[in-house]
Amino acid sequence: MADATDSATEATSETTNAVEAPEATFKTKQSQEAEPKRSWGDEVDNAPDEEPSASTASEEKVVSELNVEGLTIEEEEKINTFLDEPEDSNVTAVTSDKTPYTSAKTFEDLNLSPELLKGIYVEMKFQKPSKIQAISLPMILTPPYKNLIAQAHNGSGKTTCFALGMLSRVDPKLKAPQALCICPTRELAIQNLQVVSKMAKYTGISSECAVPEEFPPSKIAVMTQIVIGTPGTIRKWMTIGKLSLRFMNILVFDEADHMLDEDGFRDYSLRIMRDIRKSSAHCQVLLFSATFNDTVRNFVTRIVEDYNKLLVKKEELSLDSVKQYKVYCPDELAKVMVVRDRIFELGEKMGQTIIFVSTKRGASDLHKALVELGYDVSTIQGGLDLGVRDKIVKEFKDGLTQVLISTDVLARGFDQQQVNLVINYDLPKKFGMCSEPDYEVYLHRVGRAGRFGRKGAVFNLLMADETALMEKIEKHFGSHVMEVPSWNNVEDFKVALKTAGLL
DNA sequence: AAAAAAT
């Protein structure tokens, strides 16, 4: 089995850029002969200021200073020269040596193969690189193929960055895996594969998923160049000798903060990374996520030596294009009524909706309650059979269902352009803590709406014990979440939706 | 004591 579906739908809406760049005079690639790079990896350990911050509060400050003149000399050297457009002032790029990178105004600037370019234009219908793509792709594709840590908005086109990275770093003639991408969920791995295989259409490069299936895997060695999967299955394929690491030259972590978080998949990820480093001389590592909290970032920068990095200012991450609301609900029943009377009534008119619930139990309870009220609704969570999960996602992506109840299985990375309404039926909490919100999950949930700069709205349904959590979230992101005056007034919801530009 | 992926 190879080349997964071409029915990739629009899995990557997150791509062509919303901002049309003024045709600035195109900068030619300067000084091709990069001066020989000192090994900066050693520097990492004793350069505490390499990390912009220890505290969140100071981070924004330092990051923005990087764009002006308040830098240390050492850092000034590392700042890329292409950060000259005012509109890029919210992105900070730091390179680990003096390799010159030039922002890519067009995909032609990237020395991609003609076949790959054709896939980009004809299949994907991209016109030009998005901001994150323009900056990250030269870093990814230019020798010496430095590692990269990249943080960028939800829906800003990260998938395309690492998809192109993988596609241009493999040899189609070599029938062996050369690129590996690890994702936190089966759904995300499948989605990423669809993007990659669509983009690869004319290249002769094949790809496949290493995710849990209903049947146990065959032991036949993988011959596709690109493998995208979930950690456990990838490990399994490695141990049964199905997945060879010998020719691996690029390793991608999607949702990297989660993949390397103690509470996430850290052990799996590290073991895979270690094995690859053992068996292939030089393997480029790319880490992508919209979020890197301080703890994870600290850890990540220790294990990935000698890297370039891209950071987006925190306030830029809180998604201005998506309006956030809070709705005080006296009890659980009120929440159900809001879903029934507002979301089903109003939400249907303007696209698709995802209702996030923190537990599988909660998801299935809500599902049952709505079904009992006579509403047909679909629900996805990890406890369902794989086939059912696939079907539910496909129906939603095909637009056959309007409203989807989901656990956090879809909180990260799930890309469906038509979703412009997200309901937090409850708020995400940090593991084992009932009074501490999970800010990352919150941000990722919100990011399911407003893909690629589209308009969107989030309604947080709050009972009394959740108001404090909401306040903490508002404080953390420094954003004011507007209040819908009354949970049972349809006009209030209409006003909110109009304000969000959805009605 | 949570989701997910796994075992």
PDB file of all heavy atoms in Angstrom, chain A residues 179-197:
ATOM      1  N   ALA A 179      11.810  10.088   5.058  1.00  0.00           N
ATOM      2  CA  ALA A 179      11.213  11.179   5.833  1.00  0.00           C
ATOM      3  C   ALA A 179      10.160  10.607   6.763  1.00  0.00           C
ATOM      4  O   ALA A 179       9.377   9.746   6.374  1.00  0.00           O
ATOM      5  CB  ALA A 179      10.581  12.217   4.902  1.00  0.00           C
ATOM      6  N   LEU A 180      10.173  11.103   7.996  1.00  0.00           N
ATOM      7  CA  LEU A 180       9.233  10.592   8.989  1.00  0.00           C
ATOM      8  C   LEU A 180       8.575  11.756   9.702  1.00  0.00           C
ATOM      9  O   LEU A 180       9.239  12.710  10.108  1.00  0.00           O
ATOM     10  CB  LEU A 180       9.987   9.716   9.992  1.00  0.00           C
ATOM     11  CG  LEU A 180       9.185   9.042  11.108  1.00  0.00           C
ATOM     12  CD1 LEU A 180       8.158   8.079  10.541  1.00  0.00           C
ATOM     13  CD2 LEU A 180      10.122   8.321  12.066  1.00  0.00           C
ATOM     14  N   CYS A 181       7.265  11.674   9.824  1.00  0.00           N
ATOM     15  CA  CYS A 181       6.520  12.720  10.527  1.00  0.00           C
ATOM     16  C   CYS A 181       5.690  12.078  11.631  1.00  0.00           C
ATOM     17  O   CYS A 181       4.949  11.127  11.391  1.00  0.00           O
ATOM     18  CB  CYS A 181       5.616  13.462   9.548  1.00  0.00           C
ATOM     19  SG  CYS A 181       4.500  14.642  10.309  1.00  0.00           S
ATOM     20  N   ILE A 182       5.833  12.583  12.841  1.00  0.00           N
ATOM     21  CA  ILE A 182       5.115  12.023  13.987  1.00  0.00           C
ATOM     22  C   ILE A 182       4.050  12.991  14.464  1.00  0.00           C
ATOM     23  O   ILE A 182       4.308  14.174  14.660  1.00  0.00           O
ATOM     24  CB  ILE A 182       6.082  11.740  15.150  1.00  0.00           C
ATOM     25  CG1 ILE A 182       7.352  11.055  14.632  1.00  0.00           C
ATOM     26  CG2 ILE A 182       5.427  10.862  16.189  1.00  0.00           C
ATOM     27  CD1 ILE A 182       8.315  10.713  15.732  1.00  0.00           C
ATOM     28  N   CYS A 183       2.857  12.482  14.634  1.00  0.00           N
ATOM     29  CA  CYS A 183       1.698  13.298  15.009  1.00  0.00           C
ATOM     30  C   CYS A 183       1.023  12.722  16.253  1.00  0.00           C
ATOM     31  O   CYS A 183       1.116  11.529  16.503  1.00  0.00           O
ATOM     32  CB  CYS A 183       0.673  13.319  13.875  1.00  0.00           C
ATOM     33  SG  CYS A 183       1.366  13.564  12.241  1.00  0.00           S
ATOM     34  N   PRO A 184       0.312  13.555  16.993  1.00  0.00           N
ATOM     35  CA  PRO A 184      -0.292  13.083  18.235  1.00  0.00           C
ATOM     36  C   PRO A 184      -1.546  12.224  18.054  1.00  0.00           C
ATOM     37  O   PRO A 184      -1.900  11.477  18.955  1.00  0.00           O
ATOM     38  CB  PRO A 184      -0.628  14.367  18.982  1.00  0.00           C
ATOM     39  CG  PRO A 184      -0.748  15.406  17.934  1.00  0.00           C
ATOM     40  CD  PRO A 184       0.189  15.013  16.835  1.00  0.00           C
ATOM     41  N   THR A 185      -2.235  12.347  16.963  1.00  0.00           N
ATOM     42  CA  THR A 185      -3.457  11.553  16.786  1.00  0.00           C
ATOM     43  C   THR A 185      -3.494  10.909  15.412  1.00  0.00           C
ATOM     44  O   THR A 185      -2.855  11.370  14.465  1.00  0.00           O
ATOM     45  CB  THR A 185      -4.736  12.411  16.907  1.00  0.00           C
ATOM     46  OG1 THR A 185      -4.759  13.368  15.843  1.00  0.00           O
ATOM     47  CG2 THR A 185      -4.821  13.116  18.244  1.00  0.00           C
ATOM     48  N   ARG A 186      -4.258   9.855  15.354  1.00  0.00           N
ATOM     49  CA  ARG A 186      -4.477   9.147  14.109  1.00  0.00           C
ATOM     50  C   ARG A 186      -5.099  10.079  13.061  1.00  0.00           C
ATOM     51  O   ARG A 186      -4.691  10.086  11.900  1.00  0.00           O
ATOM     52  CB  ARG A 186      -5.425   7.977  14.406  1.00  0.00           C
ATOM     53  CG  ARG A 186      -5.614   7.011  13.301  1.00  0.00           C
ATOM     54  CD  ARG A 186      -6.373   5.793  13.837  1.00  0.00           C
ATOM     55  NE  ARG A 186      -6.592   4.825  12.785  1.00  0.00           N
ATOM     56  CZ  ARG A 186      -7.586   4.880  11.918  1.00  0.00           C
ATOM     57  NH1 ARG A 186      -8.459   5.855  11.984  1.00  0.00           N
ATOM     58  NH2 ARG A 186      -7.702   3.956  10.984  1.00  0.00           N
ATOM     59  N   GLU A 187      -6.074  10.868  13.508  1.00  0.00           N
ATOM     60  CA  GLU A 187      -6.756  11.771  12.587  1.00  0.00           C
ATOM     61  C   GLU A 187      -5.797  12.769  11.950  1.00  0.00           C
ATOM     62  O   GLU A 187      -5.876  13.050  10.754  1.00  0.00           O
ATOM     63  CB  GLU A 187      -7.871  12.543  13.323  1.00  0.00           C
ATOM     64  CG  GLU A 187      -9.154  11.768  13.511  1.00  0.00           C
ATOM     65  CD  GLU A 187      -9.020  10.600  14.498  1.00  0.00           C
ATOM     66  OE1 GLU A 187      -8.077  10.631  15.323  1.00  0.00           O
ATOM     67  OE2 GLU A 187      -9.846   9.682  14.457  1.00  0.00           O
ATOM     68  N   LEU A 188      -4.892  13.274  12.764  1.00  0.00           N
ATOM     69  CA  LEU A 188      -3.965  14.270  12.241  1.00  0.00           C
ATOM     70  C   LEU A 188      -2.964  13.636  11.281  1.00  0.00           C
ATOM     71  O   LEU A 188      -2.612  14.218  10.247  1.00  0.00           O
ATOM     72  CB  LEU A 188      -3.243  14.969  13.402  1.00  0.00           C
ATOM     73  CG  LEU A 188      -2.448  16.217  13.048  1.00  0.00           C
ATOM     74  CD1 LEU A 188      -3.267  17.194  12.231  1.00  0.00           C
ATOM     75  CD2 LEU A 188      -1.932  16.886  14.319  1.00  0.00           C
ATOM     76  N   ALA A 189      -2.518  12.437  11.608  1.00  0.00           N
ATOM     77  CA  ALA A 189      -1.589  11.741  10.721  1.00  0.00           C
ATOM     78  C   ALA A 189      -2.237  11.500   9.355  1.00  0.00           C
ATOM     79  O   ALA A 189      -1.621  11.720   8.308  1.00  0.00           O
ATOM     80  CB  ALA A 189      -1.148  10.422  11.344  1.00  0.00           C
ATOM     81  N   ILE A 190      -3.474  11.074   9.378  1.00  0.00           N
ATOM     82  CA  ILE A 190      -4.181  10.809   8.118  1.00  0.00           C
ATOM     83  C   ILE A 190      -4.360  12.099   7.323  1.00  0.00           C
ATOM     84  O   ILE A 190      -4.131  12.151   6.113  1.00  0.00           O
ATOM     85  CB  ILE A 190      -5.545  10.145   8.408  1.00  0.00           C
ATOM     86  CG1 ILE A 190      -5.327   8.739   8.984  1.00  0.00           C
ATOM     87  CG2 ILE A 190      -6.394  10.077   7.147  1.00  0.00           C
ATOM     88  CD1 ILE A 190      -6.585   8.075   9.522  1.00  0.00           C
ATOM     89  N   GLN A 191      -4.731  13.142   8.015  1.00  0.00           N
ATOM     90  CA  GLN A 191      -4.904  14.429   7.345  1.00  0.00           C
ATOM     91  C   GLN A 191      -3.590  14.895   6.717  1.00  0.00           C
ATOM     92  O   GLN A 191      -3.559  15.346   5.569  1.00  0.00           O
ATOM     93  CB  GLN A 191      -5.396  15.465   8.357  1.00  0.00           C
ATOM     94  CG  GLN A 191      -5.512  16.875   7.821  1.00  0.00           C
ATOM     95  CD  GLN A 191      -6.007  17.838   8.874  1.00  0.00           C
ATOM     96  OE1 GLN A 191      -7.175  17.817   9.243  1.00  0.00           O
ATOM     97  NE2 GLN A 191      -5.136  18.695   9.385  1.00  0.00           N
ATOM     98  N   ASN A 192      -2.522  14.786   7.457  1.00  0.00           N
ATOM     99  CA  ASN A 192      -1.228  15.207   6.921  1.00  0.00           C
ATOM    100  C   ASN A 192      -0.824  14.361   5.721  1.00  0.00           C
ATOM    101  O   ASN A 192      -0.259  14.870   4.753  1.00  0.00           O
ATOM    102  CB  ASN A 192      -0.149  15.132   8.001  1.00  0.00           C
ATOM    103  CG  ASN A 192      -0.264  16.269   9.005  1.00  0.00           C
ATOM    104  OD1 ASN A 192      -0.829  17.322   8.702  1.00  0.00           O
ATOM    105  ND2 ASN A 192       0.258  16.055  10.206  1.00  0.00           N
ATOM    106  N   LEU A 193      -1.107  13.082   5.789  1.00  0.00           N
ATOM    107  CA  LEU A 193      -0.777  12.221   4.659  1.00  0.00           C
ATOM    108  C   LEU A 193      -1.551  12.639   3.404  1.00  0.00           C
ATOM    109  O   LEU A 193      -1.025  12.637   2.298  1.00  0.00           O
ATOM    110  CB  LEU A 193      -1.078  10.759   4.969  1.00  0.00           C
ATOM    111  CG  LEU A 193      -0.616   9.854   3.816  1.00  0.00           C
ATOM    112  CD1 LEU A 193       0.867   9.573   3.935  1.00  0.00           C
ATOM    113  CD2 LEU A 193      -1.409   8.590   3.716  1.00  0.00           C
ATOM    114  N   GLN A 194      -2.790  13.010   3.617  1.00  0.00           N
ATOM    115  CA  GLN A 194      -3.592  13.438   2.470  1.00  0.00           C
ATOM    116  C   GLN A 194      -2.989  14.671   1.811  1.00  0.00           C
ATOM    117  O   GLN A 194      -2.932  14.767   0.580  1.00  0.00           O
ATOM    118  CB  GLN A 194      -5.036  13.711   2.917  1.00  0.00           C
ATOM    119  CG  GLN A 194      -5.783  12.416   3.255  1.00  0.00           C
ATOM    120  CD  GLN A 194      -7.119  12.646   3.927  1.00  0.00           C
ATOM    121  OE1 GLN A 194      -7.397  13.733   4.442  1.00  0.00           O
ATOM    122  NE2 GLN A 194      -7.955  11.626   3.940  1.00  0.00           N
ATOM    123  N   VAL A 195      -2.517  15.576   2.629  1.00  0.00           N
ATOM    124  CA  VAL A 195      -1.890  16.772   2.088  1.00  0.00           C
ATOM    125  C   VAL A 195      -0.625  16.408   1.310  1.00  0.00           C
ATOM    126  O   VAL A 195      -0.437  16.819   0.164  1.00  0.00           O
ATOM    127  CB  VAL A 195      -1.517  17.757   3.218  1.00  0.00           C
ATOM    128  CG1 VAL A 195      -0.697  18.910   2.680  1.00  0.00           C
ATOM    129  CG2 VAL A 195      -2.767  18.265   3.922  1.00  0.00           C
ATOM    130  N   VAL A 196       0.221  15.627   1.965  1.00  0.00           N
ATOM    131  CA  VAL A 196       1.494  15.286   1.342  1.00  0.00           C
ATOM    132  C   VAL A 196       1.290  14.521   0.034  1.00  0.00           C
ATOM    133  O   VAL A 196       1.925  14.805  -0.977  1.00  0.00           O
ATOM    134  CB  VAL A 196       2.368  14.456   2.311  1.00  0.00           C
ATOM    135  CG1 VAL A 196       3.536  13.813   1.587  1.00  0.00           C
ATOM    136  CG2 VAL A 196       2.872  15.333   3.445  1.00  0.00           C
ATOM    137  N   SER A 197       0.369  13.564   0.049  1.00  0.00           N
ATOM    138  CA  SER A 197       0.232  12.748  -1.154  1.00  0.00           C
ATOM    139  C   SER A 197      -0.396  13.549  -2.290  1.00  0.00           C
ATOM    140  O   SER A 197      -0.074  13.344  -3.455  1.00  0.00           O
ATOM    141  CB  SER A 197      -0.564  11.479  -0.856  1.00  0.00           C
ATOM    142  OG  SER A 197      -1.929  11.766  -0.781  1.00  0.00           O
TER     143      SER A 197
END
